Coordinates of all heavy atoms in Angstrom, one line a residue:
K158 N -22.5 84.5 37.2 CA -22.3 83.3 36.7 C -21.5 82.5 37.8 O -20.4 82.9 38.2 CB -21.5 83.2 35.4 CG -21.3 82.0 34.7 CD -20.5 82.3 33.3 CE -20.4 81.1 32.5 NZ -19.7 81.4 31.3
I159 N -21.9 81.3 38.1 CA -21.3 80.4 39.1 C -20.8 79.2 38.3 O -21.6 78.6 37.5 CB -22.2 80.0 40.3 CG1 -22.8 81.3 40.8 CG2 -21.5 79.2 41.3 CD1 -21.9 82.1 41.6
I160 N -19.6 78.8 38.6 CA -18.9 77.7 37.9 C -18.5 76.8 38.9 O -17.7 77.0 39.8 CB -17.8 78.1 37.0 CG1 -18.4 79.1 36.0 CG2 -17.2 77.0 36.2 CD1 -17.2 80.0 35.4
D161 N -18.9 75.4 38.8 CA -18.4 74.3 39.6 C -17.1 73.7 38.8 O -17.3 73.1 37.9 CB -19.5 73.3 39.8 CG -19.0 72.1 40.7 OD1 -17.8 72.1 41.1 OD2 -19.8 71.2 41.0
T162 N -16.0 74.0 39.4 CA -14.7 73.5 38.7 C -14.7 72.0 38.7 O -13.9 71.6 37.9 CB -13.6 74.2 39.4 OG1 -13.6 73.8 40.7 CG2 -13.6 75.7 39.2
I163 N -15.3 71.3 39.5 CA -15.1 69.9 39.6 C -16.0 69.2 38.4 O -15.5 68.5 37.6 CB -15.5 69.2 41.0 CG1 -14.4 69.8 42.0 CG2 -15.5 67.8 40.8 CD1 -14.6 69.3 43.4
S164 N -17.3 69.6 38.4 CA -18.2 69.0 37.5 C -18.3 69.7 36.2 O -18.7 69.3 35.2 CB -19.5 68.9 38.1 OG -20.2 70.1 38.2
G165 N -17.9 71.0 36.2 CA -18.0 71.9 35.0 C -19.4 72.5 34.9 O -19.7 73.1 33.8
D166 N -20.3 72.3 35.8 CA -21.6 72.8 35.8 C -21.5 74.4 36.0 O -20.8 74.9 36.7 CB -22.5 72.2 36.8 CG -22.9 70.7 36.6 OD1 -22.7 70.3 35.5 OD2 -23.3 70.0 37.6
E167 N -22.4 75.0 35.2 CA -22.6 76.5 35.3 C -24.0 76.9 35.6 O -24.9 76.2 35.2 CB -22.0 77.1 34.0 CG -20.6 76.9 33.7 CD -20.3 77.6 32.3 OE1 -21.1 78.3 31.7 OE2 -19.0 77.4 32.0
Y168 N -24.1 78.0 36.2 CA -25.4 78.6 36.5 C -25.3 80.2 36.4 O -24.3 80.7 36.8 CB -25.8 78.2 38.0 CG -27.2 78.7 38.2 CD1 -28.3 77.8 37.9 CD2 -27.5 79.9 38.9 CE1 -29.7 78.2 38.2 CE2 -28.9 80.2 39.2 CZ -29.9 79.4 38.9 OH -31.1 79.8 39.1
E169 N -26.3 80.7 35.7 CA -26.3 82.0 35.4 C -27.5 82.8 36.0 O -28.7 82.2 35.6 CB -26.1 82.4 33.9 CG -25.7 83.7 33.7 CD -25.3 83.9 32.2 OE1 -24.2 83.3 31.8 OE2 -26.1 84.5 31.5
L170 N -27.4 83.9 36.6 CA -28.5 84.7 37.2 C -28.4 86.1 36.7 O -27.4 86.6 36.7 CB -28.5 84.5 38.7 CG -29.7 85.0 39.4 CD1 -30.9 84.3 39.1 CD2 -29.4 85.0 41.0
N171 N -29.5 86.5 36.1 CA -29.5 88.0 35.6 C -30.5 88.8 36.3 O -31.7 88.3 36.7 CB -29.9 87.9 34.1 CG -28.8 87.3 33.3 OD1 -27.7 87.8 33.3 ND2 -29.1 86.2 32.6
S172 N -30.3 90.1 36.5 CA -31.2 91.0 37.1 C -30.9 92.4 36.6 O -29.9 92.6 35.9 CB -31.1 91.0 38.6 OG -32.1 91.8 39.2
W173 N -31.7 93.3 36.7 CA -31.7 94.7 36.3 C -31.7 95.5 37.5 O -32.2 95.3 38.5 CB -32.7 95.1 35.4 CG -32.6 94.5 34.1 CD1 -32.0 94.9 33.0 CD2 -33.2 93.2 33.7 NE1 -32.0 93.9 31.9 CE2 -32.8 92.9 32.4 CE3 -33.9 92.3 34.4 CZ2 -33.2 91.8 31.7 CZ3 -34.4 91.2 33.7 CH2 -34.0 90.9 32.4
I174 N -30.8 96.6 37.4 CA -30.7 97.7 38.5 C -30.8 99.0 37.9 O -30.3 99.3 36.8 CB -29.4 97.4 39.3 CG1 -29.4 98.3 40.5 CG2 -28.3 97.7 38.4 CD1 -28.3 98.1 41.5
N175 N -31.4 99.9 38.6 CA -31.4 101.3 38.2 C -30.3 102.0 38.7 O -30.0 102.0 39.9 CB -32.8 101.9 38.4 CG -33.1 102.0 39.9 OD1 -32.7 101.3 40.6 ND2 -33.8 103.2 40.3
K176 N -29.7 102.9 37.9 CA -28.6 103.6 38.2 C -29.1 104.8 38.9 O -29.7 105.6 38.4 CB -27.8 104.1 37.0 CG -26.5 104.8 37.2 CD -25.9 104.9 35.8 CE -24.8 105.9 35.9 NZ -24.2 106.3 34.6
S177 N -28.8 105.1 40.2 CA -29.5 106.1 41.0 C -28.9 107.5 40.7 O -29.6 108.5 40.8 CB -29.2 105.8 42.5 OG -27.8 105.8 42.7
N178 N -27.6 107.7 40.1 CA -27.1 108.9 39.7 C -27.2 109.3 38.3 O -26.5 109.9 37.7 CB -25.6 109.0 40.2 CG -24.8 108.0 39.6 OD1 -25.3 107.1 38.9 ND2 -23.5 108.1 39.9
A179 N -28.2 108.6 37.6 CA -28.3 108.7 36.1 C -28.8 110.1 35.8 O -29.6 110.7 36.5 CB -29.2 107.7 35.5
K180 N -28.3 110.6 34.7 CA -28.8 112.0 34.3 C -29.6 111.7 33.1 O -29.2 111.2 32.0 CB -27.4 112.8 33.9 CG -26.4 113.0 35.0 CD -25.7 114.2 34.9 CE -24.8 114.7 36.0 NZ -24.7 114.0 37.2
I181 N -30.8 112.2 33.2 CA -31.8 112.0 32.3 C -32.1 113.2 31.4 O -32.1 114.4 32.0 CB -33.1 111.6 32.9 CG1 -33.0 110.4 33.7 CG2 -34.3 111.5 31.9 CD1 -34.2 109.9 34.6
D182 N -32.0 113.1 30.2 CA -32.3 114.2 29.2 C -33.7 114.4 29.0 O -34.5 113.6 28.3 CB -31.6 113.9 27.9 CG -31.6 115.0 26.9 OD1 -32.1 116.1 27.2 OD2 -31.3 114.8 25.7

Side-chain angles (χ1 to χ4, degrees):
K158 184 176 184 181
I159 306 296
I160 305 160
D161 183 356
T162 58
I163 294 175
S164 68
D166 292 341
E167 295 181 2
Y168 186 84
E169 196 170 292
L170 189 62
N171 293 298
S172 185
W173 290 271
I174 187 168
N175 63 328
K176 184 176 165 185
S177 59
N178 62 349
K180 301 212 181 335
I181 300 172
D182 184 6

